[in-house]
Amino acid sequence: MKHTAKLVVRSYELDSYNHVNNANYLNYLEYGRMEFLRAIGFDYEALVEAGYYLYVTRIDIRYKASARLFDELSIEVEPVKLGKVSGAFRQVIRNQRGEICAEADVSWGCVDHSGRPAKIPDAFLVDGLRP
């Protein structure tokens, strides 16, 4: 399942060149992933209450075009891998003109309350999380 979240670029996200600072794309990607999880009915709060956490373990990001003030960005999220304790998403950020601003492959892992890798509890494996 592919999901698209939208947001509008805010002034405090710009750098001295008047375009979005590269570091802000990581926040945009995070926002898109959390909106994806909400859209598929993944209960992240219950996962945390059960003593499990999803950590980003790697982000491979490629910047393609600048985003500017008031651009409406679409953040596409698609699961591409799901293992017992980890997975991966492919994400694309586009502006309202359809230009790709950034592409990213994001790997994540599940850990338990002690920080050790842990199998994702079956109760949290909802449809849409699998590629």
Side-chain angles (χ1 to χ4, degrees), residues 1 3-4 33-42 126-127:
M1 173 185 169
H3 178 74
T4 302
R33 289 190 305 277
M34 292 306 288
E35 289 298 301
F36 168 81
L37 292 176
R38 284 175 22 133
I40 65 170
F42 186 90
V126 298
D127 288 337

Side-chain angles (χ1 to χ4, degrees), residues 14-129:
L14 304 180
D15 61 19
S16 60
Y17 301 111
N18 205 30
H19 61 153
V20 172
N21 182 282
N22 288 0
N24 284 302
Y25 286 94
L26 299 176
N27 293 325
Y28 297 164
L29 294 171
E30 176 77 14
Y31 172 75
R33 289 190 305 277
M34 292 306 288
E35 289 298 301
F36 168 81
L37 292 176
R38 284 175 22 133
I40 65 170
F42 186 90
D43 193 345
Y44 192 81
E45 291 173 320
L47 181 81
V48 172
E49 287 174 12
Y52 297 91
Y53 310 94
L54 301 180
Y55 284 0
V56 170
T57 58
R58 177 184 168 98
I59 296 180
D60 178 15
I61 188 167
R62 295 155 311 277
Y63 301 100
K64 304 286 189 172
S66 297
R68 301 196 177 277
L69 184 62
F70 303 129
D71 276 357
E72 182 177 280
L73 302 180
S74 298
I75 304 143
E76 299 170 9
V77 181
E78 183 176 20
V80 294
K81 178 183 166 194
L82 179 64
K84 293 182 181 185
V85 299
S86 63
F89 291 111
R90 179 156 300 122
Q91 294 188 254
V92 177
I93 299 174
R94 298 177 193 272
N95 62 24
Q96 71 269 17
R97 295 173 298 284
E99 298 170 319
I100 295 175
C101 297
E103 297 175 312
D105 295 306
V106 180
S107 300
W108 56 270
C110 183
V111 298
D112 63 18
H113 67 281
S114 69
R116 295 176 195 241
K119 182 178 180 288
I120 302 166
D122 290 338
F124 295 99
L125 294 175
V126 298
D127 288 337
L129 190 58

